[in-house]
């Protein structure tokens, strides 16, 4: 009997050890995953903040340059500017030209807020309140000498203005005056009426000095009250250090804070913009940060938040999870010991303890999740909600138990979620779907992640009761920012392509036609949207290498020299080299590099068949077809049927048979032939 008890005791000890090892390992892996997820979430938050504020500051600077440029192109200003006497001091009264220009500058200065009308934030961080802020507009000659200015215009550094680059706009960096107020300046060239817009033709400049006030600082102010230590500021590089230019949360004097050393957040932000890091800031406080360069300025924008605030709630939640899991493991071990001592008498008690521990753990973990979380069964009845989900459904968790999902969260949203719930239960695998919530005026995009459960861990349900755990995340802002970046990239590509095509009138819109044909062929092959976008972008940029080829080579009707012909043929390879360092979402540069390969392996790199990217095989065929259809300086273009017949002759040798078949389907059945003939514009059906 003793030997039997000892064996049972050893077995219980072994089971307890297994529970501790497995439970501890699982807990460590789970917490590590949650730390990584939390870090990624903060990176996304700071990235969106930095991108938004950088765009606002850049637009603020660009708007003032644009307005002053428009003023410099005013014909009356240009005429009166050239009529101003070289030495106004010799006149008893200001000449009529000077009076007109001063009035014009005053009206513009008030409209563009170069002349301040209200106290600024700089007055709240140490400036004397009674002193009026200085700012305004002035006209200077080519040598920086002041000719005309508004009444509050501060004294100008004529030597520095004269040294500014001619023929282009310049920024006078942020500076702090003796009374502690900040200003920033703009220099815009002035040319004669109908004169050339060159450095040599510049006759003078418009100089604008504007005080920085709440309208400017407001673009950097924290807009989310829940993030108490969030700070957005402008930086400037000063040797090996970085100086903060704008007001800070600690209300230190303007431009008094500076960080030195490669391990400081500000210095690292200037050295490597776009990065996301964890370092010490000017208070020697650990922070999370990211940065962006502000276009057309010497400034870098940094967005940062104290690490303690960022991970404080998460750390408290992790401690709760550790405590709950520890209690759960102890409860399990205690239950096993209870079974060993009295299996029949303690069995129901052990089950109750386990159920209570599971419920306690589930509630502790779920309520510390930042996203709404709930569990439904196959009939879409709710059996558990965390605090965030209950707030979303505007009810208490206890009142939601057993309630139908459609009545708690809305019939339309529940109906759109229903297929994903059914698929998750049928396949027994996690799913992720994007759904729409809200009304037409304020739609929101929700990413719902669904995880199958063999049994819903809620007391009182018959076992097993399969269910689905649903975790929701609002991704509306992230999608909006991604769409903005995509549109900006497409606009940039279009500008570059139009500049390239204008250099060769015989190849105008060549890149656009190849891109449309290639995109339509890719869709005809059933490729995913990412590969279609990669194919279209690469096709639009394939002639980028022609920028360095003399225009007379491209338009010559006679025979080209061998060197000239080889240079033009290598333009696509040159384009690939120029684009190699740009981080597109797909392999754009490699697509262009491989587009000169032949499917039979006789190309430059001897790649063959499926070794060549499908996007490269599509572009090779599309470029060849558009080239045969296009009129050149030395020949007329082919007809479509003749060009397709020539293309098919190279099928299996130079071109992929599958690509030629898909291209023929696009041309014959999906509107491609009408587009290539110029009868229609590209649409979602015809490509592009």
């Amino acid at each position: 009997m003793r030997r039997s008890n000892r064996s049972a005791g050893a077995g219980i000890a072994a089971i307890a050890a297994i529970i501790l090892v497995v439970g501890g390992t699982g807990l460590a892996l789970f917490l590590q995953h949650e730390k990584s997820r939390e870090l990624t979430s903060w990176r996304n938050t700071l990235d969106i903040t930095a991108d938004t504020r950088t765009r606002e500051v850049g637009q603020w600077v660009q708007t003032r340059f644009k307005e002053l440029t428009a003023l410099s192109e005013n014909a009356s200003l240009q005429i009166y500017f050239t009529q101003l006497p070289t030495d106004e001091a010799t006149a008893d009264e200001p000449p009529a030209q000077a009076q007109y220009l001063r009035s014009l500058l005053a009206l513009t200065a008030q409209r563009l807020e170069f002349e301040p009308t209200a106290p600024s934030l700089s007055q709240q961080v140490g400036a004397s309140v009674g002193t009026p802020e200085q700012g305004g507009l002035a006209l200077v000659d080519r040598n920086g000498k002041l000719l005309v200015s508004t009444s509050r215009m501060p004294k100008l550094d004529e030597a520095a203005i004269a040294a500014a680059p001619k023929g282009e706009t310049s920024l006078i960096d942020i500076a702090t005056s003796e009374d502690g107020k900040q200003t920033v300046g703009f220099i815009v060239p002035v040319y004669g009426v109908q004169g050339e817009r060159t450095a040599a033709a510049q006759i003078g400049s418009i100089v604008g000095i504007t005080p920085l006030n709440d309208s400017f600082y407001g673009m950097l102010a924290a807009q989310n009250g829940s993030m108490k230590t969030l700070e957005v500021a402008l930086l400037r590089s000063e040797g090996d250090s970085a100086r903060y230019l704008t007001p800070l949360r600690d209300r230190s004097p303007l431009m008094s804070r500076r960080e030195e050393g490669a391990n400081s957040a500000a210095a690292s932000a200037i050295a490597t913009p776009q990065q996301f890091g964890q370092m010490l800031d000017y208070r020697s406080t650990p922070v999370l940060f990211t940065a962006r360069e502000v276009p057309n300025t010497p400034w870098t924008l940094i967005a940062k938040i104290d690490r303690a605030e960022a991970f404080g709630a998460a750390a408290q939640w992790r401690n709760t999870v550790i405590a709950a899991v520890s209690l759960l493991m102890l409860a399990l071990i205690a239950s096993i010991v209870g079974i060993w001592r009295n299996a029949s008498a303690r069995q129901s008690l052990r089950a109750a303890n386990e159920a209570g521990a599971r419920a306690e753990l589930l509630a502790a973990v779920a309520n510390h999740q930042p996203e709404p979380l709930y569990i439904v069964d196959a009939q879409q009845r709710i059996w558990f909600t965390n605090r965030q989900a209950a707030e979303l459904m505007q009810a208490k968790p206890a009142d939601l138990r057993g309630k139908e999902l459609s009545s708690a969260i809305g019939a339309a949203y529940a109906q759109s979620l229903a297929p994903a719930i059914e698929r998750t239960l049928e396949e027994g695998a996690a799913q992720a779907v994007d759904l729409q919530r809200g009304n037409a005026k304020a739609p929101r995009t929700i990413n719902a992640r669904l995880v199958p459960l063999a049994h819903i861990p809620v007391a009182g349900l018959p076992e097993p009761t399969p269910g689905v755990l649903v975790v929701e995340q609002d991704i509306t802002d992230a999608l909006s920012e991604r769409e903005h970046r995509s549109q900006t990239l497409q606009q940039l590509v279009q500008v570059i392509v139009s500049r390239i095509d204008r250099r060769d009138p015989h190849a105008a819109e060549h890149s656009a036609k190849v891109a449309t044909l290639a995109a339509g062929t890719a869709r005809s092959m059933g490729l995913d949207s990412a590969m279609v976008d990669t194919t279209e972008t690469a096709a639009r940029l394939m002639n980028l290498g022609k920028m360095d080829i003399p225009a007379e080579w491209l338009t010559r009707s006679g025979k080209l020299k061998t060197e000239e012909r080889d240079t033009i043929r290598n333009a696509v390879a040159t384009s690939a080299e120029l684009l190699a360092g740009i981080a597109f979402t797909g392999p754009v540069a490699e697509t262009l590099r491989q587009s000169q390969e032949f499917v039979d392996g006789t190309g430059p790199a001897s790649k063959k068949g499926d070794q060549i990217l499908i996007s490269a095989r599509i572009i090779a065929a599309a470029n060849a077809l558009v080239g045969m259809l296009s009129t050149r300086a030395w020949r007329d273009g082919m007809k479509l049927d003749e060009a397709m017949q020539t293309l098919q002759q190279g099928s299996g040798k130079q071109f992929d048979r599958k690509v030629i078949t898909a291209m023929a389907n696009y041309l014959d059945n999906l509107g491609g032939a009408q587009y290539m003939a110029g009868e229609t514009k590209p649409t979602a059906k015809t490509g592009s």
Side-chain angles (χ1 to χ4, degrees), residues 100-115:
Y100 171 84
L101 292 174
R102 186 174 290 110
S103 299
L104 179 61
L105 292 178
L107 291 174
T108 305
Q110 293 173 5
R111 180 171 59 86
L112 300 182
E113 298 182 349
F114 278 85
E115 284 193 352

Side-chain angles (χ1 to χ4, degrees), residues 521 524 644 648 651 656-666:
T521 303
S524 180
M644 279 299 297
Q648 288 171 348
S651 178
D656 189 335
R657 288 191 177 90
K658 297 189 296 294
V659 171
I660 302 301
T661 301
M663 185 175 294
N665 178 57
Y666 166 66

Side-chain angles (χ1 to χ4, degrees), residues 267-315:
S268 179
I270 290 179
T272 314
Q274 302 290 332
Q275 73 163 326
F276 173 77
Q278 303 183 53
M279 292 184 180
L280 302 180
D281 69 352
Y282 60 88
R283 303 163 299 159
S284 297
T285 300
V287 295
L288 307 180
F289 72 94
T290 190
R292 300 290 187 273
E293 291 180 331
V294 181
N296 303 317
T297 73
W299 309 330
T300 298
L301 182 143
I302 185 172
K304 61 187 182 70
I305 189 170
D306 288 2
R307 193 178 188 280
E309 180 185 6
F311 296 129

Side-chain angles (χ1 to χ4, degrees), residues 504-508 626-638:
D504 184 3
H506 297 288
V626 173
M628 288 186 283
L629 295 175
S630 303
T631 299
R632 294 291 183 261
W634 61 90
R635 62 163 173 81
D636 294 329
M638 293 183 181

Side-chain angles (χ1 to χ4, degrees), residues 131-308:
T131 305
E133 293 180 315
Q134 292 186 325
L137 297 176
L139 293 176
V140 301
D141 64 14
R142 184 178 175 85
N143 298 319
K145 179 181 178 182
L146 177 65
L147 299 178
V148 178
S149 69
T150 56
S151 60
R152 291 189 184 179
M153 190 69 180
K155 181 176 177 60
L156 300 177
D157 186 345
E158 296 182 352
I161 295 174
K166 296 295 187 291
E168 58 184 82
T169 59
S170 301
L171 185 76
I172 302 175
D173 203 355
I174 294 176
T176 305
S177 60
E178 294 180 356
D179 58 1
K181 301 170 185 175
Q182 287 189 307
T183 61
V184 66
F186 305 84
I187 304 176
V188 175
V190 178
Y191 306 96
V193 178
Q194 298 182 349
E196 295 182 350
R197 298 309 192 254
T198 63
Q202 181 176 340
I203 62 175
S205 302
I206 296 176
V207 180
I209 304 295
T210 182
L212 299 183
N213 50 31
D214 290 346
S215 65
F216 179 85
Y217 297 131
M219 293 184 291
L220 305 176
Q223 299 175 3
N224 190 331
S226 64
M227 294 186 286
K228 298 180 180 179
T229 60
L230 176 66
E231 192 165 37
V232 182
L234 294 180
L235 308 172
R236 179 176 64 206
S237 175
E238 293 184 357
D240 295 331
S241 63
R243 184 175 298 278
Y244 284 84
L245 303 178
T246 49
L248 300 172
R249 292 178 55 255
D250 65 354
R251 295 184 176 272
S252 55
L254 289 171
M255 300 177 66
S256 64
R257 290 291 193 180
R258 190 175 65 172
E259 292 183 21
E260 297 180 351
N263 292 328
S264 71
S268 179
I270 290 179
T272 314
Q274 302 290 332
Q275 73 163 326
F276 173 77
Q278 303 183 53
M279 292 184 180
L280 302 180
D281 69 352
Y282 60 88
R283 303 163 299 159
S284 297
T285 300
V287 295
L288 307 180
F289 72 94
T290 190
R292 300 290 187 273
E293 291 180 331
V294 181
N296 303 317
T297 73
W299 309 330
T300 298
L301 182 143
I302 185 172
K304 61 187 182 70
I305 189 170
D306 288 2
R307 193 178 188 280

Side-chain angles (χ1 to χ4, degrees), residues 553 556 559-570:
W553 294 9
R556 184 180 300 170
K559 185 177 181 180
L560 294 172
K561 297 179 181 180
T562 302
E563 178 185 357
E564 297 171 348
R565 185 172 59 253
D566 291 342
T567 300
I568 294 175
R569 286 177 177 175
N570 291 331

Side-chain angles (χ1 to χ4, degrees), residues 375-384 421-422 424-428 451-458 461-469:
I375 297 175
V376 297
D377 61 15
Q379 288 73 40
Q380 298 185 36
R381 291 174 298 188
I382 301 172
W383 291 106
F384 176 82
I421 294 175
E422 295 174 359
T424 302
L425 289 170
E426 291 174 359
E427 299 177 1
V451 180
L453 301 175
H455 175 67
I456 298 176
V458 174
L461 293 177
E463 192 167 347
T465 301
V468 175
L469 170 66

Side-chain angles (χ1 to χ4, degrees), residues 592-651:
L592 291 178
R593 189 175 293 111
Q594 296 185 17
S595 65
Q596 295 182 307
E597 298 293 325
F598 296 166
V599 294
D600 63 358
T602 60
S606 300
K607 291 181 178 291
K608 61 187 300 185
D610 292 339
Q611 294 176 344
I612 306 171
L613 290 172
I614 184 61
S615 52
R617 285 176 270 160
I618 293 174
I619 289 178
N623 186 40
L625 183 65
V626 173
M628 288 186 283
L629 295 175
S630 303
T631 299
R632 294 291 183 261
W634 61 90
R635 62 163 173 81
D636 294 329
M638 293 183 181
K639 294 183 178 179
L640 180 58
D641 291 340
E642 181 183 2
M644 279 299 297
Q645 185 177 3
T646 303
L647 197 67
Q648 288 171 348
Q649 291 174 357
S651 178

